[in-house]
Amino acid sequence: MAEKAKIAIFISGGGTNMAALLYASRLENSPYDVVLVASNKVDAGGLELAALEGVATFAQSHKGMTREDHDAVMEEAVVDAGADTIVLAGYMRILSDEFVARWEGRIINIHPSLLPKYKGLQTHKRAIEAGDSHGGASVHLVVPELDAGEVLAQAQVAIATDDTPETLGERVKLAEHQLYPRAVADYLSRDYDADYLLDRVRNLALALPETSERESHGAPGFRVGSEKSGKFFAHFNNQHHGSEHIAALVKTSGMDELMNLVEAQPEIYFKPAYYGASGWVGIILNRPGVDWDNVGDWLTRSWRSVAPARLTKLQDAADMF
Ligand code: GRF
């Protein structure tokens, strides 16, 4: 497993989810450490617990401040603590769009309903009044629109006929404490997970015209053209030949370009065993902050370099519009 992610948890209240995340982080094989607990309420109960557990804390009331100014102070604390991910756990403030954009894909929230149902407040009351069989909780990525980001995981909780919002809420909390640490761990591990990375490469590669997947030397490969005369334009390597990299292999224009890339950006590119000799470059995928648009561009370029002219001509025409 790669280096651990460093999370900052934002709270406004009791912080029971924060506690669940913190204790889970101390179990063996947790992919994250909690490096900061920050709050917009100086008296949030969770701050004391975090301090007791030796976690750095930060508190700044939002009263009398603009949203942007308050966000900026919180962000500074996050950056100072060296956190790379922000996990909201009962943080009762809406973050500004600019803040959310800067941390795209790196802010996670838990919401006490089965999204997309019941965004916003009074979720348990609304689920009961609607006669739903289940309530629950959802872990989702934060995007500018409230409670609307990609759902990463959910836990269902059965609703009893005599449930009140309070009794249901208590059980949903128990479920949240199981769900949140697991969902955060899974999300933070997937950047290093070969199956997840292969899926992303596969989706990009097979979105190109007339492509198919075929194994080559025991590893997944992607070809363009017919079954008979198709050519490989990409390979996927999972720590092949003793390399520590999980990588997509694509074709460069030749050895000069390959060596330039490897020299200029060794954190992204490497010369793979065997294929490197014929100008294929490896794009390292098991690292933080992979630019998937760049991977997509490389796959397209590589596809173009081996695709039959009848296909590239069509693509050229399409590109003109
Ligand atoms: C939880 O119900 C969570 O779903 C919501 O805020 C509440 C936080 O509770 N976003 P706690 O402070 O973690 O106990």
Side-chain angles (χ1 to χ4, degrees), residues 128 159-163:
I128 292 169
I159 299 179
T161 44
D162 59 353
D163 257 330

Side-chain angles (χ1 to χ4, degrees), residues 13-17 90 110-112 173 176:
T16 64
N17 277 288
I110 188 160
H111 181 75
K173 271 284 179 80
E176 287 186 14

Side-chain angles (χ1 to χ4, degrees), residues 11-19 88-92 109-113 123-124 136-138 147 169 172-173 176-177 180:
I11 61 170
S12 299
T16 64
N17 277 288
M18 179 276 293
L88 308 179
Y91 187 60
M92 299 306 282
N109 185 39
I110 188 160
H111 181 75
S113 80
T123 54
H124 306 312
S138 307
D147 300 329
V172 170
K173 271 284 179 80
E176 287 186 14
H177 299 161
Y180 210 6

Side-chain angles (χ1 to χ4, degrees), residues 8 13 18 23 30 44 204 215 252 277 279 283:
M18 179 276 293
Y23 291 126
S30 164
L204 290 169
E215 232 185 57
T252 64
I283 308 172

Side-chain angles (χ1 to χ4, degrees), residues 81-189:
D84 47 50
T85 306
I86 298 171
V87 178
L88 308 179
Y91 187 60
M92 299 306 282
R93 299 271 303 158
I94 292 173
L95 296 163
S96 63
D97 289 358
E98 295 72 29
F99 184 106
V100 172
R102 269 199 301 284
W103 288 82
E104 195 196 341
R106 309 305 296 180
I107 311 181
I108 307 171
N109 185 39
I110 188 160
H111 181 75
S113 80
L114 297 173
L115 290 172
K117 278 188 167 176
Y118 316 127
K119 297 173 180 173
L121 299 174
Q122 299 207 300
T123 54
H124 306 312
K125 182 165 180 277
R126 287 151 73 197
I128 292 169
E129 281 174 3
D132 291 354
S133 66
H134 289 78
S138 307
V139 175
H140 65 94
L141 293 179
V142 173
V143 295
E145 196 188 330
L146 188 66
D147 300 329
E150 181 194 343
V151 172
L152 300 173
Q154 292 185 314
Q156 297 208 344
V157 174
I159 299 179
T161 44
D162 59 353
D163 257 330
T164 63
E166 290 68 36
T167 57
L168 174 59
E170 274 170 33
R171 293 203 308 290
V172 170
K173 271 284 179 80
L174 292 175
E176 287 186 14
H177 299 161
Q178 302 299 315
L179 173 71
Y180 210 6
R182 166 90 71 96
V184 168
D186 286 351
Y187 180 68
L188 294 174
S189 317

Side-chain angles (χ1 to χ4, degrees), residues 223-300:
R223 307 201 323 157
V224 54
S226 66
E227 183 61 28
K228 257 190 164 173
S229 62
K231 291 205 170 95
F232 282 102
F233 67 97
H235 299 278
F236 180 84
N237 278 185
N238 180 10
Q239 308 183 315
H240 226 216
H241 297 290
S243 151
E244 82 252 36
H245 305 313
I246 300 177
L249 272 43
V250 291
K251 287 185 91 142
T252 64
S253 58
M255 204 49 74
D256 280 350
E257 186 183 19
L258 166 56
M259 292 323 284
N260 281 337
L261 287 167
V262 172
E263 214 162 281
Q265 292 175 290
E267 70 286 359
I268 302 181
Y269 300 106
F270 70 103
K271 183 180 171 196
Y274 304 105
Y275 290 105
S278 36
W280 291 73
V281 71
I283 308 172
I284 303 167
L285 302 174
N286 54 338
R287 64 188 165 88
V290 171
D291 177 353
W292 285 95
D293 290 338
N294 182 50
V295 177
D297 289 347
W298 268 112
L299 288 167
T300 306

